[in-house]
Amino acid sequence: MPNPPYLRFFPYEDPYDHQREAMETIGEALSGGRDVLFEGACGTGKTLAALVPALEYAREANKTVVITTNVHQQTRQFIEEARAITRQESIQAVVFKGKLDMCHIDVGYEECQALRDTTRELAETEQERAELAETERTLLDESRAREGANADQAAEGRNAVMEELDELDDTLEELQEQATCEYYYRNVTEETDAFYEWLFADVRTPEEIYEYAHNAGLCGYELLKEGMEGVDLVVCNYHHVLDPMIREQFFRWLGRDPEDVVVVFDEAHNIEDAARDHATRTLTESTLESALSELESVEDRRTTSAENVIEAFYTALTSTYDDALAFGERETIGDEWYDLSITNETGRDELTLSFLDAYTGAGIHNDLDRSLDLGNSLDRSYQQEYKNGETRTRKECRILQSASFIDDWLRDSDHNEMYPVVSVRRDGGNDSVYGRSELYTCIPRQVTEPLFEELHASVLMSATLRPFDVLSDVLGITGYVGDDDEQDGPVTMAYGAQFPEERRRTYAVDTPALFASRREEHDIQRKITGVLEDAIEFTPGNVLCFFPSYREAERYQALIDVDATLYLDEPGASVEERKREFTGSSNGVFFTSLWGTLTEGVSFDGDDARTVVVVGVPYPRLDDRMEAVQSAYSMAFDGNDNDSDDPGWEYAVEVPTVRKTRQALGRVVRSPEDFGARLLVDERYTMRARREMQKYSVVETFPPEERTETIDIEPEKLRFGLLNFYTDMDAWVGAPPTP
């Protein structure tokens, strides 16, 4: 039986049976324009299972495949897979990174645009002058060679050209005095074929592109943009497709309409939070102050309207957070944004009510329209001033930023899917605090639903996507309308762990629930500490321990008394450096937070870590924002075709929390030859909790096959279970410890 055509893009000998099945399913879905939700445990080969059929379909249908992630480590894997594919089947692949990471002169987007415009105009004017100079020389030769009227005619033509040259010289002199980019100048004036030959000879990283271009005196970012049209594959970050404005430009660089693009999302359980970040809008007190200062220097009839709106909002913001701060609370404010409650029983929030009360103009919407007109006019003038070299940097229009946000606030702040927030933080080293208004997006589908509707198709893949119906609801993936106009949902498929079950052991350790309210209880701390010490003593190698927070990780690192090297994670530290230190040990214990960066995209293969421990159920901090998200989900999905009594709690809290736990468990047992133990230390993970703790139990949120594999165990028996398991694996060097 001949191999299916998509296997020409498969870079290794033979796919696994489940991988071949997944490729077939994905290929058929893409041909029908359907989205795919693909959950696959570690080792299922998700990347190639999605990428191979996508490339085959795109090649036949003249489309481009975009594979995207928000996990840096995964980008490296994509590059390696793409390089392997190019050695099997010729493809043009580009790894795209943002301008800020690739700029040789370190300027922002607006400055870059102005520099590009001036530089291109300079180069085009120089080219035009060179062509005219050649014409002038030709006419001079003709006037000398001719006689009589013909010579006079050639001389007249030459004089006209000379006048044009004088005008161009004046223009050139002006342009040469303006700011330009020497790197981009070489892009538009020199041959760049060698760059593209080098670029497409392999799959180049952004760092390699930057170095090559820098050495050649070229702008690699702009060359990359210009060379992306019609390529087979692009590797990029989430924001290139989730941000609507960036996406529009990005697809234009690809030379593709959205319906000609297939997007593969890796670690797709992160799309919700990433889209929420892109949809959220903010305006700080300092921006409002800058806008008011800007208005003082503007002579325009529209300034009165802008002052009416911006000054009222500024007054409302400062008075709102002043009123919301309790006695002594101001002194506790630090460098991080601190949310204040601005809810009001009347329906509109306190900031909106204060704003409407402070506004003294004749008509707020008319004043807003005039403010936006003024802001847009000023923004265009700032662009021209920078382009003309009148300013050294491209000035930001704070009037436009403020008016745009205030307009959004009035329109959206009482929307069910938005949550209005006022936050404060300390002003650097000063004793004062300043405020920020924020439109926080509770449900991100306003960003994602239009994306999935306009794309040809997408593949969302992760080790932790289920439950699929929740993901589809939250992101607005409703399927497609076929020829018969019947709505159809996305194609879903899930593959559990493909490695031998006997080489892994999963225990739910029946310790008291680590509720946030009970974390200070010494009896609970003593029992959890005992479990951790047993897990460390009866593991022949490194142990990776996850906790609900960095604070809890630090607490238990201090309580543990074992003969091992202890490593404590800290927020903001280098992932690679932390992993290198830990895996360099043969008897190390790493303490970190489930909400840190080590739960995703970081593998602990073989001896890197043998046992992974998840302590507690890592619910996010249930603050006002989370309550707003829960409320929005409850209103949006109540009555949907689901079995949940409380979709707000399930969608906003429980499902993301269990996904986070499952991600942590997946850090060990990364190949068929690997082995290890996974420990869930909290009674809420046990089957007993399903019967006795009801709503506090989380076991039902795990996929069925994972529930079946998990063994409930009493804390005092854990050491025997681990000893027997690792003895069966022949893992002990020398005599095992005595239980």
Side-chain angles (χ1 to χ4, degrees), residues 149-182:
N150 289 335
D152 292 340
Q153 186 177 14
E156 289 177 7
R158 177 173 174 265
N159 289 336
V161 170
M162 292 288 289
E163 290 179 5
E164 288 187 57
L165 282 172
D166 289 340
E167 292 176 4
L168 282 178
D169 284 337
D170 291 339
T171 301
L172 277 175
E173 186 175 350
E174 292 177 4
L175 289 171
Q176 287 165 351
E177 292 176 354
Q178 296 177 22
T180 57
C181 175
E182 60 177 316

Side-chain angles (χ1 to χ4, degrees), residues 101-323:
D101 293 307
M102 298 188 68
C103 182
H104 302 279
I105 58 175
D106 195 25
V107 297
Y109 287 99
E110 289 79 9
E111 291 93 336
C112 179
Q113 180 179 342
L115 288 173
R116 287 200 317 272
D117 291 345
T118 305
T119 304
R120 181 172 288 280
E121 186 178 354
L122 172 64
E124 290 174 348
T125 304
E126 288 177 339
Q127 177 64 28
E128 183 181 355
R129 192 199 183 286
E131 292 171 356
L132 272 177
E134 181 63 29
T135 301
E136 184 271 332
R137 284 192 293 271
T138 301
L139 290 173
L140 176 62
D141 292 341
E142 289 180 358
S143 67
R144 289 172 175 172
R146 295 175 182 178
E147 296 180 357
N150 289 335
D152 292 340
Q153 186 177 14
E156 289 177 7
R158 177 173 174 265
N159 289 336
V161 170
M162 292 288 289
E163 290 179 5
E164 288 187 57
L165 282 172
D166 289 340
E167 292 176 4
L168 282 178
D169 284 337
D170 291 339
T171 301
L172 277 175
E173 186 175 350
E174 292 177 4
L175 289 171
Q176 287 165 351
E177 292 176 354
Q178 296 177 22
T180 57
C181 175
E182 60 177 316
Y183 291 91
Y184 185 65
Y185 179 81
R186 294 189 187 93
N187 281 18
V188 296
T189 58
E190 298 181 6
E191 286 292 333
T192 57
D193 291 348
F195 170 82
Y196 291 112
E197 289 176 7
W198 170 84
L199 177 68
F200 293 121
D202 202 345
V203 181
R204 309 296 185 181
T205 67
E207 293 75 18
E208 290 170 337
I209 294 170
Y210 180 92
E211 183 179 1
Y212 181 101
H214 188 78
N215 291 338
L218 301 168
C219 175
Y221 178 75
E222 291 298 323
L223 288 175
L224 198 58
K225 282 167 46 179
E226 294 169 11
M228 287 170 59
E229 185 170 348
V231 297
D232 300 293
L233 174 66
V234 181
V235 179
C236 67
N237 191 279
Y238 272 1
H239 68 262
H240 289 108
V241 289
L242 289 182
D243 187 294
M245 294 184 64
I246 296 176
R247 179 169 71 245
E248 183 179 353
Q249 292 182 332
F250 186 59
F251 286 176
R252 186 167 65 249
W253 299 333
L254 290 176
R256 299 292 193 188
D257 293 325
E259 59 266 26
D260 292 320
V261 178
V262 174
V263 178
V264 178
F265 289 91
D266 188 53
E267 304 292 354
H269 60 279
N270 289 324
I271 295 176
E272 179 182 356
D273 284 341
R276 183 176 286 122
D277 289 341
H278 282 291
T280 295
R281 288 153 282 173
T282 61
L283 178 67
T284 65
E285 180 180 338
S286 56
T287 300
L288 288 164
E289 290 174 341
S290 297
L292 291 172
S293 297
E294 188 178 4
L295 282 168
E296 293 176 359
S297 62
V298 175
E299 294 183 3
D300 190 288
R301 289 178 297 177
R302 295 167 290 185
T303 57
T304 301
S305 293
E307 286 171 352
N308 289 341
V309 171
I310 296 173
E311 188 163 7
F313 199 84
Y314 172 77
T315 300
L317 175 60
T318 55
S319 64
T320 297
Y321 73 69
D322 278 337
D323 292 343

Side-chain angles (χ1 to χ4, degrees), residues 218-445:
L218 301 168
C219 175
Y221 178 75
E222 291 298 323
L223 288 175
L224 198 58
K225 282 167 46 179
E226 294 169 11
M228 287 170 59
E229 185 170 348
V231 297
D232 300 293
L233 174 66
V234 181
V235 179
C236 67
N237 191 279
Y238 272 1
H239 68 262
H240 289 108
V241 289
L242 289 182
D243 187 294
M245 294 184 64
I246 296 176
R247 179 169 71 245
E248 183 179 353
Q249 292 182 332
F250 186 59
F251 286 176
R252 186 167 65 249
W253 299 333
L254 290 176
R256 299 292 193 188
D257 293 325
E259 59 266 26
D260 292 320
V261 178
V262 174
V263 178
V264 178
F265 289 91
D266 188 53
E267 304 292 354
H269 60 279
N270 289 324
I271 295 176
E272 179 182 356
D273 284 341
R276 183 176 286 122
D277 289 341
H278 282 291
T280 295
R281 288 153 282 173
T282 61
L283 178 67
T284 65
E285 180 180 338
S286 56
T287 300
L288 288 164
E289 290 174 341
S290 297
L292 291 172
S293 297
E294 188 178 4
L295 282 168
E296 293 176 359
S297 62
V298 175
E299 294 183 3
D300 190 288
R301 289 178 297 177
R302 295 167 290 185
T303 57
T304 301
S305 293
E307 286 171 352
N308 289 341
V309 171
I310 296 173
E311 188 163 7
F313 199 84
Y314 172 77
T315 300
L317 175 60
T318 55
S319 64
T320 297
Y321 73 69
D322 278 337
D323 292 343
L325 285 167
F327 178 77
E329 192 174 12
R330 182 183 294 267
E331 286 69 33
T332 67
I333 305 301
D335 295 334
E336 301 295 326
W337 286 110
Y338 179 77
D339 288 355
L340 300 169
S341 177
I342 59 170
T343 56
N344 187 288
E345 295 179 358
T346 64
R348 293 305 295 253
D349 60 273
E350 291 287 355
L351 176 56
T352 301
L353 295 176
S354 296
F355 171 49
L356 296 176
D357 184 59
Y359 173 75
T360 58
I364 194 166
H365 294 294
N366 182 61
D367 276 348
L368 263 174
D369 289 341
R370 289 171 62 82
S371 302
L372 290 167
D373 286 342
L374 174 62
N376 281 307
S377 297
L378 289 171
D379 194 58
R380 288 191 295 269
S381 69
Y382 296 158
Q383 172 82 357
Q384 192 62 42
E385 287 171 2
Y386 180 72
K387 180 181 176 182
N388 293 341
E390 298 171 34
T391 56
R392 293 180 62 85
T393 59
R394 204 281 194 184
K395 189 176 179 180
E396 297 283 344
C397 184
R398 305 304 184 188
I399 296 170
L400 179 60
Q401 293 174 7
S402 299
S404 298
F405 179 86
I406 296 169
D407 189 43
D408 290 345
W409 183 277
L410 282 181
R411 183 184 63 248
D412 296 337
S413 60
D414 64 340
H415 193 282
N416 292 335
E417 297 187 0
M418 305 298 296
Y419 178 58
V421 183
V422 166
S423 308
V424 290
R425 75 175 179 186
R426 195 154 301 283
D427 187 7
N430 301 327
D431 292 333
S432 62
V433 300
Y434 70 105
R436 178 182 73 176
S437 48
E438 177 181 355
L439 279 170
Y440 179 69
T441 302
C442 296
I443 301 180
R445 63 182 177 188

Side-chain angles (χ1 to χ4, degrees), residues 22-62:
M23 291 179 192
E24 193 71 35
T25 302
I26 292 172
E28 291 176 1
L30 297 181
S31 297
R34 299 182 65 181
D35 298 312
V36 179
L37 307 182
F38 176 20
E39 178 173 299
C42 173
T44 52
K46 294 185 295 293
T47 301
L48 286 176
L51 203 50
V52 165
L55 287 170
E56 170 63 23
Y57 172 73
R59 177 69 61 86
E60 295 303 312
N62 190 28

Side-chain angles (χ1 to χ4, degrees), residues 496-652:
Q498 300 299 306
F499 308 143
E501 186 174 340
E502 63 271 14
R503 298 185 70 81
R504 61 183 183 270
R505 190 62 47 84
T506 307
Y507 288 120
V509 186
D510 199 355
T511 58
L514 191 63
F515 293 115
S517 60
R518 301 186 63 189
R519 290 176 185 173
E520 302 297 330
E521 294 184 16
H522 293 294
D523 186 54
I524 290 179
Q525 293 176 12
R526 179 179 56 80
K527 290 179 180 179
I528 292 175
T529 300
V531 168
L532 291 171
E533 289 176 346
D534 283 350
I536 295 164
E537 183 180 357
F538 289 90
T539 294
N542 292 342
V543 178
L544 188 59
C545 299
F546 290 97
F547 297 85
S549 67
Y550 285 107
R551 180 181 177 184
E552 290 300 295
E554 184 176 7
R555 181 203 303 278
Y556 284 97
Q557 189 252 8
L559 290 174
I560 294 294
D561 183 13
V562 292
D563 184 17
T565 304
L566 307 185
Y567 300 88
L568 179 63
D569 191 11
E570 295 179 357
S574 166
V575 174
E576 290 301 318
E577 184 177 338
R578 284 176 291 177
K579 180 184 175 183
R580 183 168 54 251
E581 291 175 357
F582 170 59
T583 57
S585 171
S586 60
N587 188 27
V589 187
F590 200 91
F591 296 80
T592 187
S593 168
L594 273 154
W595 298 100
T597 55
L598 285 173
T599 56
E600 299 183 31
V602 182
S603 299
F604 292 86
D605 305 306
D607 293 333
D608 287 353
R610 283 294 172 208
T611 295
V612 59
V613 185
V614 174
V615 177
V617 178
Y619 288 125
R621 188 163 61 94
L622 301 181
D623 54 14
D624 288 346
R625 288 180 189 247
M626 185 53 65
E627 289 182 6
V629 173
Q630 287 185 65
S631 176
Y633 279 160
S634 292
M635 295 180 68
F637 302 121
D638 187 28
N640 278 22
D641 186 18
N642 59 57
D643 298 327
S644 176
D645 295 329
D646 185 357
W649 173 263
E650 180 188 0
Y651 285 29

